[in-house]
Amino acid sequence: MPGGRSDPLHMRKVVALFIAALAVLLLVACTPEEANHIQMVNAFRTANGVAQLDWSDPLYDKARAWSQHMANEGKLSHSDLKSGAPAGWHILGENVAYNSSLNGAMEALENSPAHRANLLNPAFTRVAVGILYQNNVYWVTEEFVG
């Protein structure tokens, strides 16, 4: 029956709502800025023909802690990639940035050849983002795993 519960269009809407709700649940641990940054990362990948990344809960604490570390030190640096990596990983990567705006941080990462390579690496399947705002600066850590 048209418009009824067995209608394929209705089922697609229900599935789409379920997927959207699940995506929100997966990002509950994130701040709104971190969730937005992940959306920017995935939009950049999609625009460049690369599959989107799933959230990596095991790397979230590492990403947050590293952004805090950089903010406390007042300079960019990279963490030990293997430290805090989830079991079963095959490839790891990390991008770090700081900027007075999150859009500026993302643009800097997109325009840096090494950071762009991480953003667009099809071997990466999951990501965690940690963002800290301190002294009018956003400190961003992206942890990639595949």
Side-chain angles (χ1 to χ4, degrees), residues 4-141:
R5 295 217 182 269
S6 63
D7 180 13
L9 180 58
H10 174 77
M11 291 306 293
R12 282 194 296 261
K13 288 179 183 178
V14 169
V15 169
L17 286 172
F18 175 76
I19 290 170
L22 183 59
V24 168
L25 287 175
L26 291 175
L27 297 177
V28 166
C30 291
T31 67
E33 293 84 6
E34 291 162 346
N36 184 59
H37 190 86
I38 292 167
Q39 290 174 346
M40 288 192 293
V41 167
N42 278 330
F44 184 67
R45 287 174 66 92
T46 298
N48 286 278
V50 182
Q52 292 190 0
L53 298 168
D54 292 326
W55 175 249
S56 175
D57 209 35
L59 286 175
Y60 180 61
D61 288 340
K62 178 181 180 175
R64 290 281 301 174
W66 197 254
S67 288
Q68 181 70 64
H69 170 80
M70 292 187 300
N72 291 345
E73 296 290 317
K75 63 181 180 179
L76 289 178
S77 60
H78 283 280
S79 71
D80 173 2
L81 285 178
K82 292 179 184 177
S83 176
W89 63 270
H90 299 285
I91 184 172
L92 299 169
E94 180 179 75
N95 285 348
V96 295
Y98 72 97
N99 199 288
S100 60
S101 78
L102 289 174
N103 286 338
M106 186 64 189
E107 287 174 19
L109 293 170
E110 291 172 0
N111 292 322
S112 161
H115 296 104
R116 182 183 183 91
N118 277 342
L119 286 166
L120 298 177
N121 188 333
F124 292 132
T125 57
R126 293 173 285 151
V127 67
V129 173
I131 297 175
L132 187 80
Y133 186 70
Q134 186 168 301
N135 298 326
N136 299 317
V137 175
Y138 288 98
W139 297 88
V140 179
T141 303

